Protein backbone atom coordinates (compact mmCIF):
# COMPACT_ATOMS: atom_id res chain seq x y z
CA UNK A 1 0.00 0.00 0.00
CA UNK A 2 1.44 3.33 -1.02
CA UNK A 3 1.52 6.50 1.06
CA UNK A 4 -1.51 8.06 -0.67
CA UNK A 5 -3.72 5.06 0.08
CA UNK A 6 -2.53 4.93 3.67
CA UNK A 7 -3.39 8.60 4.00
CA UNK A 8 -6.89 8.06 2.62
CA UNK A 9 -7.38 5.08 4.92
CA UNK A 10 -6.50 7.30 7.86
CA UNK A 11 -9.05 9.95 6.95
CA UNK A 12 -12.15 7.96 7.97
CA UNK A 13 -11.09 7.05 11.55
CA UNK A 14 -9.58 10.53 11.95
CA UNK A 15 -12.87 12.12 10.94
CA UNK A 16 -14.81 9.86 13.34
CA UNK A 17 -12.40 10.70 16.16
CA UNK A 18 -12.61 14.43 15.44
CA UNK A 19 -16.42 14.31 15.35
CA UNK A 20 -16.47 12.42 18.64
CA UNK A 21 -14.16 14.93 20.31
CA UNK A 22 -16.26 17.85 19.07
CA UNK A 23 -19.44 16.16 20.30
CA UNK A 24 -17.92 15.43 23.70
CA UNK A 25 -16.54 18.96 23.95
CA UNK A 26 -19.95 20.43 23.20
CA UNK A 27 -21.40 18.47 26.12
CA UNK A 28 -18.88 19.80 28.62
CA UNK A 29 -20.20 22.27 31.20
CA UNK A 30 -19.39 25.89 30.49
CA UNK A 31 -16.24 27.06 32.22
CA UNK A 32 -16.88 29.35 35.18
CA UNK A 33 -20.42 28.22 35.96
CA UNK A 34 -21.63 26.56 39.13
CA UNK A 35 -22.57 23.37 37.28
CA UNK A 36 -20.02 20.64 38.01
CA UNK A 37 -21.61 17.29 37.12
CA UNK A 38 -18.38 15.31 37.35
CA UNK A 39 -17.34 16.82 40.64
CA UNK A 40 -20.79 16.28 42.14
CA UNK A 41 -20.83 12.62 41.08
CA UNK A 42 -17.27 12.00 42.28
CA UNK A 43 -17.81 13.60 45.67
CA UNK A 44 -21.08 11.73 46.14
CA UNK A 45 -19.35 8.44 45.29
CA UNK A 46 -16.50 9.25 47.69
CA UNK A 47 -18.98 9.91 50.49
CA UNK A 48 -20.81 6.66 49.77
CA UNK A 49 -17.50 4.79 50.02
CA UNK A 50 -16.54 6.56 53.30
CA UNK A 51 -13.46 8.15 51.69
CA UNK A 52 -12.99 11.69 52.90
CA UNK A 53 -10.22 12.41 50.36
CA UNK A 54 -12.24 12.58 47.13
CA UNK A 55 -9.09 12.60 44.99
CA UNK A 56 -7.95 9.29 46.48
CA UNK A 57 -11.44 7.92 45.98
CA UNK A 58 -11.19 8.79 42.29
CA UNK A 59 -7.68 7.38 41.93
CA UNK A 60 -8.08 4.15 43.88
CA UNK A 61 -11.79 3.40 43.70
CA UNK A 62 -13.72 5.12 40.93
CA UNK A 63 -10.83 5.01 38.42
CA UNK A 64 -8.58 2.39 40.01
CA UNK A 65 -8.02 0.69 36.66
CA UNK A 66 -6.55 3.92 35.25
CA UNK A 67 -4.25 4.18 38.26
CA UNK A 68 -3.11 0.61 37.67
CA UNK A 69 -2.07 1.69 34.17
CA UNK A 70 -0.19 4.70 35.53
CA UNK A 71 1.55 2.49 38.08
CA UNK A 72 2.53 0.07 35.32
CA UNK A 73 4.00 2.95 33.30
CA UNK A 74 6.16 3.96 36.26
CA UNK A 75 7.30 0.36 36.77
CA UNK A 76 8.20 0.02 33.10
CA UNK A 77 10.03 3.36 33.09
CA UNK A 78 12.16 2.39 36.09
CA UNK A 79 12.89 -1.02 34.61
CA UNK A 80 13.94 0.52 31.31
CA UNK A 81 16.18 3.09 32.99
CA UNK A 82 17.87 0.44 35.12
CA UNK A 83 18.61 -1.65 32.05
CA UNK A 84 20.02 1.33 30.13
CA UNK A 85 22.13 2.58 33.05
CA UNK A 86 23.62 -0.77 34.05
CA UNK A 87 27.39 -1.19 34.05
CA UNK A 88 28.56 -2.28 30.63
CA UNK A 89 31.81 -3.53 29.18
CA UNK A 90 34.40 -0.78 29.13
CA UNK A 91 33.15 0.88 32.30
CA UNK A 92 35.12 0.63 35.51
CA UNK A 93 33.78 0.90 39.05
CA UNK A 94 35.76 2.85 41.63
CA UNK A 95 35.23 3.77 45.26
CA UNK A 96 34.05 7.39 45.60
CA UNK A 97 35.58 9.54 48.26
CA UNK A 98 33.67 11.83 50.55
CA UNK A 99 33.61 15.49 49.59
CA UNK A 100 33.61 18.44 51.96
CA UNK A 101 30.24 19.33 53.45
CA UNK A 102 29.62 22.48 55.45
CA UNK A 103 28.93 21.71 59.12
CA UNK A 104 25.70 23.70 58.92
CA UNK A 105 24.55 21.61 55.94
CA UNK A 106 25.44 18.40 57.75
CA UNK A 107 23.59 19.51 60.90
CA UNK A 108 20.55 20.61 58.91
CA UNK A 109 20.49 17.31 57.05
CA UNK A 110 20.67 15.24 60.22
CA UNK A 111 17.59 17.03 61.48
CA UNK A 112 15.76 17.07 58.16
CA UNK A 113 16.22 13.40 57.19
CA UNK A 114 13.97 11.81 59.86
CA UNK A 115 11.39 14.60 59.48
CA UNK A 116 11.21 14.08 55.71
CA UNK A 117 10.87 10.31 56.07
CA UNK A 118 8.22 10.65 58.76
CA UNK A 119 6.32 13.15 56.61
CA UNK A 120 6.40 10.74 53.68
CA UNK A 121 5.04 7.89 55.81
CA UNK A 122 2.30 10.17 57.14
CA UNK A 123 1.26 11.33 53.66
CA UNK A 124 1.08 7.74 52.41
CA UNK A 125 -0.73 6.38 55.46
CA UNK A 126 -3.37 9.14 55.46
CA UNK A 127 -3.93 9.13 51.72
CA UNK A 128 -7.56 8.07 52.06
CA UNK A 129 -8.30 10.67 54.73
CA UNK A 130 -6.35 13.86 54.04
CA UNK A 131 -4.77 15.50 50.96
CA UNK A 132 -1.85 13.51 49.66
CA UNK A 133 -1.59 9.84 48.85
CA UNK A 134 0.74 7.14 47.65
CA UNK A 135 2.21 9.02 44.69
CA UNK A 136 2.99 12.17 46.66
CA UNK A 137 4.12 10.36 49.81
CA UNK A 138 6.32 8.01 47.81
CA UNK A 139 8.15 10.92 46.21
CA UNK A 140 8.57 12.58 49.62
CA UNK A 141 10.04 9.35 51.03
CA UNK A 142 12.48 8.92 48.16
CA UNK A 143 13.49 12.59 48.23
CA UNK A 144 13.90 12.55 51.99
CA UNK A 145 16.26 9.60 51.82
CA UNK A 146 18.53 11.53 49.45
CA UNK A 147 19.03 14.23 52.06
CA UNK A 148 21.77 11.85 53.25
CA UNK A 149 23.59 12.41 49.95
CA UNK A 150 23.44 16.19 50.32
CA UNK A 151 24.24 16.35 54.02
CA UNK A 152 26.79 13.53 54.22
CA UNK A 153 28.10 11.71 51.15
CA UNK A 154 27.30 9.05 48.62
CA UNK A 155 28.58 6.21 50.78
CA UNK A 156 26.14 7.07 53.56
CA UNK A 157 23.28 7.14 51.07
CA UNK A 158 24.34 3.77 49.70
CA UNK A 159 24.24 2.25 53.17
CA UNK A 160 20.74 3.64 53.76
CA UNK A 161 19.23 2.26 50.55
CA UNK A 162 19.35 -1.53 50.20
CA UNK A 163 18.77 -1.66 46.46
CA UNK A 164 18.02 -5.38 46.32
CA UNK A 165 15.28 -4.96 48.91
CA UNK A 166 13.90 -1.85 47.22
CA UNK A 167 13.85 -3.48 43.80
CA UNK A 168 11.90 -6.38 45.25
CA UNK A 169 9.60 -4.01 47.16
CA UNK A 170 8.73 -2.11 44.00
CA UNK A 171 7.91 -5.30 42.12
CA UNK A 172 5.85 -6.73 44.99
CA UNK A 173 3.94 -3.47 45.51
CA UNK A 174 3.17 -3.06 41.81
CA UNK A 175 2.10 -6.68 41.59
CA UNK A 176 -0.03 -6.44 44.73
CA UNK A 177 -2.02 -3.57 43.15
CA UNK A 178 -2.95 -5.83 40.24
CA UNK A 179 -3.48 -8.79 42.55
CA UNK A 180 -5.79 -6.91 44.91
CA UNK A 181 -8.07 -6.26 41.98
CA UNK A 182 -8.84 -9.95 41.90
CA UNK A 183 -10.62 -9.61 45.24
CA UNK A 184 -13.50 -7.98 43.41
CA UNK A 185 -13.73 -10.87 40.97
CA UNK A 186 -13.57 -13.36 43.84
CA UNK A 187 -16.58 -11.62 45.40
CA UNK A 188 -18.53 -11.92 42.14
CA UNK A 189 -18.19 -8.19 41.48
CA UNK A 190 -15.79 -6.45 39.08
CA UNK A 191 -12.01 -6.22 38.84
CA UNK A 192 -10.69 -3.67 41.40
CA UNK A 193 -14.16 -3.35 42.88
CA UNK A 194 -13.98 -1.96 46.39
CA UNK A 195 -15.19 -4.97 48.37
CA UNK A 196 -13.43 -4.42 51.72
CA UNK A 197 -15.27 -3.05 54.78
CA UNK A 198 -15.58 0.73 54.41
CA UNK A 199 -15.01 1.59 58.07
CA UNK A 200 -15.99 4.85 59.73
CA UNK A 201 -15.85 8.05 57.67
CA UNK A 202 -12.76 10.13 58.44
CA UNK A 203 -10.91 7.34 60.22
CA UNK A 204 -7.53 6.00 59.13
CA UNK A 205 -8.98 2.59 58.26
CA UNK A 206 -11.84 3.99 56.16
CA UNK A 207 -12.40 3.71 52.43
CA UNK A 208 -12.03 -0.07 52.15
CA UNK A 209 -9.63 -0.95 49.35
CA UNK A 210 -8.62 2.70 48.84
CA UNK A 211 -6.16 2.71 51.74
CA UNK A 212 -4.61 -0.61 50.76
CA UNK A 213 -4.09 0.37 47.12
CA UNK A 214 -2.80 3.76 48.21
CA UNK A 215 -0.20 2.08 50.45
CA UNK A 216 0.87 -0.23 47.63
CA UNK A 217 1.38 2.77 45.35
CA UNK A 218 3.34 4.58 48.06
CA UNK A 219 5.76 1.67 48.44
CA UNK A 220 6.07 1.24 44.67
CA UNK A 221 6.71 4.92 44.00
CA UNK A 222 9.20 5.36 46.85
CA UNK A 223 11.13 2.22 45.91
CA UNK A 224 10.97 2.98 42.20
CA UNK A 225 12.27 6.54 42.52
CA UNK A 226 15.14 5.43 44.77
CA UNK A 227 16.10 2.65 42.33
CA UNK A 228 15.84 5.08 39.43
CA UNK A 229 18.05 7.70 41.08
CA UNK A 230 20.49 4.98 42.14
CA UNK A 231 21.07 4.17 38.48
CA UNK A 232 21.88 7.77 37.62
CA UNK A 233 24.06 8.27 40.71
CA UNK A 234 25.96 5.08 40.00
CA UNK A 235 26.78 6.36 36.52
CA UNK A 236 27.78 9.78 37.82
CA UNK A 237 29.73 8.77 40.93
CA UNK A 238 30.93 5.17 40.71
CA UNK A 239 31.46 4.35 37.06
CA UNK A 240 33.77 5.80 34.50
CA UNK A 241 35.24 4.83 31.16
CA UNK A 242 38.03 2.32 31.64
CA UNK A 243 39.92 4.07 28.90
CA UNK A 244 40.00 7.37 30.76
CA UNK A 245 41.74 8.38 33.90
CA UNK A 246 39.74 7.69 37.06
CA UNK A 247 38.45 10.86 38.69
CA UNK A 248 37.57 10.38 42.31
CA UNK A 249 36.30 12.85 44.84
CA UNK A 250 32.57 12.66 44.20
CA UNK A 251 30.50 12.38 47.30
Amino acid sequence: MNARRRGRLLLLPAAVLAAGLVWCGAELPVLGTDRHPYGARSVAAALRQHTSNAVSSINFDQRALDTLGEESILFAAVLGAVVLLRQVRGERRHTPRAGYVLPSTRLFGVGLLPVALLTGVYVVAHGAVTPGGGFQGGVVLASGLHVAYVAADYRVLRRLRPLVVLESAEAVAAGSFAGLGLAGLACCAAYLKNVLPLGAFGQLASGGLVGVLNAAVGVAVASGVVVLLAGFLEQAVELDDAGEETTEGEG
Side-chain angles (χ1 to χ4, degrees):
M1 183 181 295
N2 57 36
R4 177 174 295 182
R5 288 187 176 180
R6 288 198 299 269
R8 289 176 179 173
L9 189 62
L10 179 65
L11 288 178
L12 179 59
V16 173
L17 178 61
L21 290 175
V22 171
W23 179 71
C24 292
E27 295 296 321
L28 288 174
V30 179
L31 186 64
T33 64
D34 58 354
R35 180 171 171 261
H36 306 288
Y38 312 115
R41 287 178 173 84
S42 297
V43 172
L47 295 175
R48 281 198 305 273
Q49 296 294 85
H50 295 190
T51 309
S52 54
N53 184 354
V55 176
S56 289
S57 175
I58 295 171
N59 288 337
F60 301 112
D61 192 355
Q62 302 170 43
R63 293 177 50 245
L65 190 61
D66 291 351
T67 305
L68 176 60
E70 296 163 0
E71 173 61 28
S72 302
I73 291 172
L74 174 64
F75 182 80
V78 173
L79 180 61
V82 169
V83 171
L84 289 174
L85 295 173
R86 71 189 187 284
Q87 183 179 5
V88 296
R89 183 181 302 173
E91 288 184 330
R92 180 173 50 189
R93 187 180 299 275
H94 62 87
T95 302
R97 294 183 302 180
Y100 175 73
V101 179
L102 290 173
S104 56
T105 302
R106 191 181 297 273
L107 179 62
F108 182 72
V110 169
L112 180 61
L113 177 59
V115 174
L117 295 180
L118 186 61
T119 302
V121 172
Y122 179 90
V123 172
V124 172
H126 291 78
V129 183
T130 58
F135 286 102
Q136 299 88 336
V139 173
V140 172
L141 279 171
S143 303
L145 187 64
H146 286 79
V147 171
Y149 178 58
V150 178
D153 60 60
Y154 179 69
R155 296 172 302 177
V156 174
L157 172 64
R158 200 167 51 182
R159 285 195 292 269
L160 291 178
R161 51 154 215 215
L163 282 183
V164 175
V165 175
L166 292 173
E167 289 169 352
S168 301
E170 187 199 7
V172 170
S176 65
F177 194 120
L180 287 167
L182 299 175
L185 295 177
C187 295
C188 302
Y191 184 68
L192 284 171
K193 178 73 174 178
N194 192 346
V195 293
L196 294 182
L198 299 178
F201 185 82
Q203 298 299 311
L204 187 61
S206 61
L209 198 60
V210 172
V212 183
L213 294 178
N214 175 71
V217 168
V219 174
V221 171
S223 304
V225 173
V226 172
V227 171
L228 180 65
L229 293 178
F232 285 103
L233 285 173
E234 185 182 56
Q235 282 287 332
V237 178
E238 291 191 70
L239 300 177
D240 55 24
D241 192 342
E244 297 179 357
E245 183 180 356
T246 302
T247 55
E248 295 187 346
E250 301 283 354

